[in-house]
Amino acid sequence: MIRRALLGLLLCAAPLGAARAQLPQISGYYLDVWVGSDASPFADASLLGFQRFRLMTAPVYGRWAFDVAYEHALTVRSDLLAGFLGPGGEQGRGAGDWLPLQGTIEETEHVEWRHRVDRLSVSYLGDAFDVTLGRQPVSWATTLYLTPADPFQPFDPSDPFREYRLGVDAARVRVFTGPMTELEAVARLAETTTDTTITALARARTALGRWELVAWAGVVHDEPSISAAATVTVAGAALRGEAVLRRSKDAAGAEQTVLRFTVGADRSFNLAGRNLYLLAEYQRDGFGAASSDELLEVALSPASRRGELQVLGRDEMVALASYEWHPLWTANFLAIWNLDDPSLLLTPSVAFSASEEVTAQGGMFFGVGEDLGEPIPGLGVRAPGSEYGPVPATGYVSVTVFF
């Protein structure tokens, strides 16, 4: 009943504003990806095609602002496991959606057609504050790829398509106490297959000289949590760090205190008259697997099912090199390293800007590490030998169009 009432309020608010102003501008986004994967210990060689079509509008009428985005996602695959150990297919799929704003239109062995309202929010814009209600993007990350202190739908660090952050169903208040200081509170309901959890957090952010400081506290999925983060620029490099302490329950239901943190640095250089960007991050995650024997347990844990875990290992690193060797061409090399397995995911790619509205991209995914581990008792199959070792050689090509 509450969800239907809230949805009705959001849907009725936009026409009231539109009646007193011109029609809103509509923009769009189309992504076409084709992925081919070699055989792996868990799947045959496969082919997958993924198309994502999105329409967006964000009109403002006086002190009222609206944000609406609606998208369709069509996946065509050679079999059910196509793309399971590589890119594609998961874009636009929310974790914990509470409002009934998404669904599956068609699903067979070879085709999945989904649609989703990824944004549906209304904001009141005050002189020194704003209030937003509905499905909206919320990003609290300080680090760039491994972001444990971002409790709202963090990106998969290996995802080459990061144009839009998924919206979450939340109420949000921001207060601007000065030009460099902001207070914020967010409350979110997340619905899983077993229960509904509450995330309610208050956050403060300020800048002092070269430092940007952030702290938040509250509950994340019903669990008490506190976080601190900082960014500082030294010798042209941005040094970043964020950490979270969480009071959580282990698989047996016992209370435990979990520490999650990431530290990293990134900097741009001039190389032969072109821009070279380098990044490195290290994450220690108390929710992660300390060895390959724990990978399945972590993959099936509540934190993983809620979309909180970007990687599965306890100790992981990300390294990125991006070089713009021509105004239209950019080469990227991303590596994700599980230090506990150990295993590596290597993702070289090249992007071509055909115009301001059209980008083409091609790349590969390679897993390095043990393919298979010990047999799983009672199932007659073997567990993964490492996080990235079973990932088959995978290639993809894509075209992105904005209009």
Side-chain angles (χ1 to χ4, degrees):
M1 180 66 72
I2 297 175
R3 277 183 287 186
R4 288 198 294 269
L6 178 57
L7 181 58
L9 175 63
L10 292 170
L11 291 174
C12 291
L16 292 176
R20 295 190 293 272
Q22 62 183 6
L23 292 176
Q25 267 193 327
I26 297 177
S27 60
Y29 162 79
Y30 173 68
L31 171 66
D32 185 16
V33 186
W34 289 92
V35 182
S37 296
D38 198 0
S40 77
F42 299 99
D44 296 330
S46 61
L47 179 67
L48 178 144
F50 178 78
Q51 290 78 42
R52 183 182 185 187
F53 179 76
R54 180 183 178 101
L55 294 175
M56 301 163 285
T57 186
V60 178
Y61 307 112
R63 290 190 177 274
W64 294 93
F66 304 88
D67 191 9
V68 181
Y70 175 63
E71 62 184 36
H72 282 250
L74 177 66
T75 303
V76 180
R77 57 203 173 201
S78 58
D79 58 72
L80 282 173
L81 294 179
F84 179 70
L85 295 174
E90 290 303 310
Q91 293 84 8
R93 189 191 298 272
D97 293 330
W98 184 70
L99 291 171
L101 299 173
Q102 60 283 319
T104 300
I105 298 173
E106 182 73 24
E107 185 170 17
T108 66
E109 181 182 355
H110 300 290
V111 175
E112 182 183 32
W113 180 11
R114 296 178 284 108
H115 69 134
R116 184 173 192 267
V117 179
D118 189 51
R119 306 275 195 278
L120 184 61
S121 66
V122 55
S123 301
Y124 179 78
L125 310 177
D127 293 331
F129 72 95
D130 59 52
V131 180
T132 303
L133 182 65
R135 182 165 292 177
Q136 56 190 291
V138 184
S139 175
W140 282 5
T142 297
T143 48
L144 302 179
Y145 275 78
L146 301 173
T147 58
D150 185 0
F152 306 105
Q153 297 282 24
F155 281 113
D156 177 347
S158 67
D159 188 352
F161 311 109
R162 297 157 60 102
E163 284 83 2
Y164 298 102
R165 174 177 288 268
L166 289 173
V168 296
D169 303 328
R172 183 182 190 185
V173 178
R174 294 187 298 176
V175 179
F176 309 100
T177 59
M180 308 298 289
T181 302
E182 176 183 309
L183 304 177
E184 184 174 3
V186 173
R188 176 200 180 194
L189 288 175
E191 190 169 271
T192 68
T193 55
T194 57
D195 60 2
T196 299
T197 65
I198 295 175
T199 296
L201 301 168
R203 175 178 182 252
R205 181 172 64 89
T206 190
L208 297 173
R210 295 181 300 169
W211 289 84
E212 181 181 83
L213 305 175
V214 182
W216 58 255
V219 294
V220 177
H221 295 292
D222 298 334
E223 298 178 343
S225 307
I226 188 169
S227 172
T231 304
V232 63
T233 301
V234 177
L239 306 181
R240 309 172 191 271
E242 62 182 43
V244 180
L245 271 178
R246 180 101 157 251
R247 193 63 179 165
S248 185
K249 292 183 178 180
D250 62 18
E255 292 284 344
Q256 60 177 345
T257 298
V258 177
L259 172 64
R260 312 178 70 200
F261 72 86
T262 295
V263 292
D266 58 283
R267 183 178 177 180
S268 293
F269 300 86
N270 187 287
L271 179 63
R274 299 296 180 187
N275 184 62
L276 170 65
Y277 177 73
L278 300 177
L279 172 145
E281 291 181 349
Y282 163 75
Q283 176 174 279
R284 173 78 175 183
D285 190 349
F287 282 132
S291 68
S292 60
D293 296 336
E294 300 177 1
L295 285 173
L296 284 180
E297 178 184 343
V298 170
L300 298 174
S301 67
S304 179
R305 295 199 304 269
R306 292 190 296 252
E308 295 186 79
L309 303 187
Q310 299 171 281
V311 292
L312 298 179
R314 182 159 298 178
D315 299 278
E316 302 233 6
M317 290 191 68
V318 166
L320 170 70
S322 179
Y323 183 57
E324 185 186 80
W325 85 80
H326 182 276
L328 302 180
W329 290 90
T330 302
N332 305 288
F333 185 82
L334 177 71
I336 306 177
W337 181 16
N338 184 322
L339 283 71
D340 302 302
D341 286 330
S343 62
L344 274 169
L345 181 66
L346 306 176
T347 65
S349 65
V350 176
F352 172 66
S353 297
S355 69
E356 291 185 358
E357 297 83 16
V358 180
T359 301
Q361 186 172 338
M364 298 289 293
F365 284 67
F366 299 97
V368 179
E370 291 292 330
D371 291 344
L372 294 171
E374 297 298 322
I376 301 175
L379 294 183
V381 297
R382 294 171 67 182
S386 62
E387 182 174 4
Y388 303 118
V391 176
T394 300
Y396 70 92
V397 292
S398 70
V399 175
T400 302
V401 181
F402 298 89
F403 57 90

